[in-house]
Structures are given as C-alpha cells and as structure tokens.
C-alpha cells in the first residue's frame, strides 16, 4: 500500500520540478537579454534628497549666557507741564527809543558821537551849518530893528499927545504898530530857537544835543553829509534806553496754544552760557509769518548793567499752564547709536531685542522722557551701554 501511494505522488513531484526548471531558464534568458542592451542607455532618474531651510537670523535679537547680570527697569508715567522751546533775539524796547532830529537843513561839520556810544542827556552829538537858520536869524534881526523903530514911534506919539500936538488916534495907531512889531519879534525869535539857534548868540552853526540818556542804536549821518528838511530826512540818530529790553521769539503755529500772556519763560543766551534769566510774556503777535509759519512772542526783561545787547541770540523755554502724562525711563537704559536712540527689551530666557525709540529731555533726577517706542510698564535693560559692550565681545 505504501508503495502504491509513493507511485501516485511521484508524477506530481516530477511536474513541480519541471516547472521550477522552466522558471529558472526564463530568468537566465532575461538576464542575458539585459546584458545584450547597448552601453550608452540612460540610467533611471534619481530621487531628489530633501533640502533643509534655516530661518534668517534677526540682527536686533541677541542672546547672552547669564541674563541675570543685566537688571531690568520698567517705564513709568510722570505728570509734567509741556515746555515750548523757541529761538529769539534781543531787541530794544521801541517805547523807550528817542529819535534825534533836525528841523533845519544844512551840512554836518562835526560829529561827536557814533553808533553804539552811550550818551547822557544834553551831551553834544553833532554840529550843523544851516542856511535855514541863517535866514531865520536874518528875519529875527529885522524884527528887532522893526520893534525898536515902532517903540520909538509910539514913545514920540505919546510925548506929542501930552503936549497937545497929536491926536489920540495917531497915538493908538503908533501903539498898534509897536504891538505888531513885538509879535513879529517873538515869532522870529521862536523860529530861530526851533531851528536850533540862539537869538542871543546869532550864528548859522547850531549844535544838536542828546534829548535823553541811552545808547545810540541807529546813525544815519556822517561828517560833511547833508541834512535835508524834516519831512524827507530820516533820524540823525536813535537813542535807546536799554535798562529794559525785549526778547522776540518765533513760536510755531502748532505750539501757540501752549503759550499765554503772563506765562513765565527761562531765557538762555549764547553769550552767557550757564546763566538763566526769568522773563514774562507781554505780547503775542496776531500775525503769522507765511513763510516760516511762526508768530512773534515778546518777552520783557530787565537789563541791569546793560549786559544784554540788541542782536544777541537767545533761546527761550516757556512753561505751559497745561500738563500731561509722559513716559519716563532711566537715562542709562537708553543707548545713543548712529544718531538714534535704542533700548534692549527682554524676550524671555536669555534673549533680548534691540528696539528703536525717540528720547527727549533728561530730567535733573536722571530720568529721560520717551516720546515714542515705549509704553508704561515696558521693561528694558537698566544699563544699555554695559549690555551693548557685553554682546560685542
């Protein structure tokens, strides 16, 4: 029986063996065909490898090893009155200016004072030879002669009337002529004095003296120069009392609302660094300069000793009556670099970001106003210079 089973499985086994041999022959034939292909056939395309992209580095972000060595400070708010700064110039108080005039024409023969000189009231300024004065003196001398003749005629008429040799009406006529001669004499004498002469000392040369004490701030005449009549001639001199001066400031139109009459201002002059004057706003111009968009604000300032001279450059700082909250931070937390202001703000961990801000005025207690870039509570490195030095190493 066993032999019978074996005899039945043998043909099946032989069939499987034949099939395996056929497959093996087919594989060998395929290999032979591949080897028979030309040598210059293109290889299959390669699969590209994955590319790793790294994010760009932020130049304003810095990492430090020990962030605890850089203490932080927080920005705060401070209630302050807004200050308005304006440039100005020292000017004379025009209400204290006194012009020096000549009512007669002529020619200057001598000048005793010059521009910038300090003069006293009654001091000789110049001498003028005047044809107008010469004519006035001539009329005065004629009036003197006419008055003398009229007086003698009146006296003679009175004497004749006393002896009955003259009628009363003739005496009245003589007396009227004498009175008119006196009027002409007084008028001509006053004319001589107005033109600068002296009826008691007749001369065509007259002296021009200072009408008040002060400093000569304007001179429009030179030696041998002609002096014309008053209606077409400028002032010979202008004398200014500099015991009080003006500071004329140019304030931009967007800041005019912060300046009021009566406000106090601090004045600094380039000529006297470190020195401060207090002045009060006395006038705000109603006109606006169309080209500069500014209005003139006038300060009145006492000038004892005359140290403030017209034309000096001044800087005025007005303290506004209104107040506002402004962000402040210690000045050491702000780094000035490349004409810009920077602070270093923490990002967490050991990273800090450099942030641009706009700094303002530094207070006396070491704080600095921040105009833009920081809000109340924002933190920054307390010593920005030390931090910047550390990250550069």
């Amino acid at each position: 029986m066993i032999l019978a089973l074996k005899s039945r499985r043998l043909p099946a086994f032989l069939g499987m063996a034949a099939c395996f041999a056929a497959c093996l022959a087919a594989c060998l034939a395929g290999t032979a065909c591949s080897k028979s292909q030309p040598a210059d056939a293109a290889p299959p395309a390669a699969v590209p490898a994955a590319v790793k992209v790294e994010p760009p580095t932020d130049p304003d972000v810095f990492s430090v090893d020990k962030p605890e060595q850089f203490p932080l400070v927080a920005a705060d708010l401070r209630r302050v009155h807004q200050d308005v700064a304006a440039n100005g110039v020292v000017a004379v108080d025009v209400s204290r200016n006194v012009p020096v005039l000549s009512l007669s024409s002529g020619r200057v023969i001598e000048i005793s004072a010059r521009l910038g000189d300090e003069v006293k009231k009654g001091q000789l300024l110049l001498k003028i030879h005047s044809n107008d004065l010469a004519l006035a003196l001539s009329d005065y001398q004629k009036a003197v002669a006419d008055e003398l003749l009229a007086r003698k005629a009146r006296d003679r008429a009175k004497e004749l009337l006393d002896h009955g040799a003259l009628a009363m009406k003739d005496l009245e006529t003589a007396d009227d002529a004498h009175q008119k001669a006196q009027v002409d004499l007084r008028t001509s004498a006053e004319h001589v004095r107005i033109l600068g002469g002296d009826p008691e000392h007749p001369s065509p040369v007259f002296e021009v003296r200072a009408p008040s004490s002060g400093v000569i701030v304007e001179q429009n005449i030179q030696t041998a120069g002609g002096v014309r009549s008053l209606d077409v001639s400028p002032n010979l001199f202008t004398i200014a009392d500099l015991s009080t001066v003006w500071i004329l400031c140019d304030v931009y139109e967007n800041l005019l609302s912060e300046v009021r009459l009566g406000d106090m201002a601090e004045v600094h002059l380039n000529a006297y660094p470190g020195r401060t004057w207090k002045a009060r706003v006395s006038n705000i111009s109603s006109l606006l300069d169309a080209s500069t968009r500014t209005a003139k604000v006038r300060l009145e300032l006492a000038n004892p000793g005359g140290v403030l001279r017209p034309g000096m450059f001044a800087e005025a700082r007005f303290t506004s009556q209104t107040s506002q909250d402004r962000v402040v931070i210690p000045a050491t937390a702000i780094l000035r670099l490349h004409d810009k202001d920077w602070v270093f703000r923490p990002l967490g961990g050991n990273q800090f970001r450099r942030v641009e801000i706009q700094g303002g005025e530094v207070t006396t207690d070491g704080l600095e106003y921040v105009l833009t870039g920081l809000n109340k509570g924002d933190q920054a490195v307390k010593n920005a210079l030390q931090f910047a030095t550390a990250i550069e190493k």
Side-chain angles (χ1 to χ4, degrees):
M1 182 179 181
I2 294 173
L3 293 175
L5 291 172
K6 289 181 179 181
S7 62
R8 284 196 297 265
R9 290 176 178 174
L10 182 60
F13 174 78
L14 293 176
M16 292 176 62
C19 183
F20 176 77
C23 290
L24 180 59
C27 289
L28 292 177
T31 302
C33 291
S34 63
K35 288 182 179 181
S36 63
Q37 292 179 354
D40 56 352
V47 178
V51 179
K52 183 178 181 182
V53 180
E54 295 184 358
T57 303
D58 190 341
D60 291 327
V61 176
F62 305 93
S63 299
V64 295
D65 294 335
K66 298 179 180 180
E68 64 275 4
Q69 63 181 332
F70 301 106
L72 304 178
V73 291
D76 199 2
L77 292 180
R78 174 172 291 188
R79 193 76 178 175
V80 296
H81 292 273
Q82 182 175 356
D83 289 341
V84 177
N87 295 329
V89 65
V90 179
V92 298
D93 185 346
V94 295
S95 64
R96 297 173 180 266
N97 284 359
V98 179
V100 178
L101 304 171
S102 173
L103 297 181
S104 62
S105 60
R107 184 169 297 277
V108 177
I109 60 175
E110 181 183 338
I111 294 182
S112 302
R114 302 286 179 180
L115 180 65
D117 290 352
E118 184 173 356
V119 297
K120 301 296 183 182
K121 183 177 181 179
Q123 179 178 332
L124 177 64
L125 299 180
L126 74 162
K127 294 181 179 180
I128 299 176
H129 184 280
S130 173
N131 292 330
D132 293 342
L133 180 57
L135 293 174
L137 287 171
S138 176
D139 294 338
Y140 170 74
Q141 291 170 348
K142 292 177 182 178
V144 170
D146 292 342
E147 191 276 335
L148 178 60
L149 179 62
R151 185 171 67 248
K152 289 180 179 180
R154 185 203 61 180
D155 293 342
R156 188 181 303 111
K158 181 182 289 189
E159 185 178 354
L160 290 173
L161 180 65
D162 292 341
H163 291 81
L166 190 69
M168 178 60 70
K169 66 175 183 178
D170 295 330
L171 175 61
E172 291 174 351
T173 301
D175 187 59
D176 180 67
H178 178 249
Q179 290 180 3
K180 291 179 179 179
Q182 286 182 321
V183 172
D184 291 341
L185 178 61
R186 289 194 297 268
T187 302
S188 59
E190 184 64 23
H191 188 203
V192 170
R193 282 189 286 267
I194 289 176
L195 294 180
D198 184 359
E200 302 299 328
H201 303 87
S203 171
V205 177
F206 68 94
E207 297 176 343
V208 178
R209 296 185 175 273
S212 65
S213 300
V215 177
I216 298 177
V217 296
E218 183 182 14
Q219 178 179 347
N220 297 312
I221 195 66
Q222 300 295 334
T223 303
V227 178
R228 294 179 288 180
S229 59
L230 181 61
D231 57 342
V232 296
S233 176
N235 301 345
L236 302 178
F237 296 99
T238 300
I239 299 176
D241 179 6
L242 298 183
S243 59
T244 300
V245 296
W246 289 350
I247 307 293
L248 299 180
C249 302
D250 295 319
V251 178
Y252 288 99
E253 60 177 328
N254 61 321
L255 299 176
L256 282 175
S257 61
E258 303 295 337
V259 181
R260 296 180 176 88
L261 289 176
D263 283 356
M264 295 301 298
E266 293 184 353
V267 179
H268 302 271
L269 283 87
N270 289 351
Y272 305 101
R275 188 172 176 181
T276 302
W277 283 264
K278 295 287 187 179
R280 186 177 299 275
V281 177
S282 61
N283 179 266
I284 300 176
S285 176
S286 300
L287 302 178
L288 195 70
D289 191 314
S291 58
T292 61
R293 312 305 302 171
T294 60
K296 293 290 184 183
V297 175
R298 187 176 72 206
L299 306 174
E300 289 189 3
L301 187 61
N303 186 25
V307 295
L308 303 179
R309 296 172 171 83
M312 282 185 171
F313 180 80
E315 180 181 355
R317 185 172 295 275
F318 304 88
T319 300
S320 174
Q321 297 178 0
T322 59
S323 60
Q324 62 179 359
D325 290 329
R326 297 180 63 181
V327 178
V328 293
I329 199 170
T332 57
I334 300 177
L335 177 67
R336 186 69 176 174
L337 183 64
H338 303 310
D339 295 331
K340 295 182 180 179
D341 296 323
W342 306 86
V343 295
F344 296 96
R345 297 191 56 191
L347 293 179
N350 65 339
Q351 289 189 330
F352 295 82
R353 175 180 292 277
R354 183 176 62 184
V355 178
E356 181 182 354
I357 66 168
Q358 183 180 357
E361 181 183 358
V362 179
T363 64
T364 56
D365 53 354
L367 298 178
E368 185 170 346
Y369 295 113
V370 179
L371 305 180
T372 58
L374 284 181
N375 297 317
K376 179 183 178 181
D378 291 345
Q379 290 187 324
V381 175
K382 183 177 182 180
N383 195 325
L385 180 60
Q386 179 185 4
F387 184 86
T389 305
I391 62 178
E392 288 179 359
K393 292 181 180 180

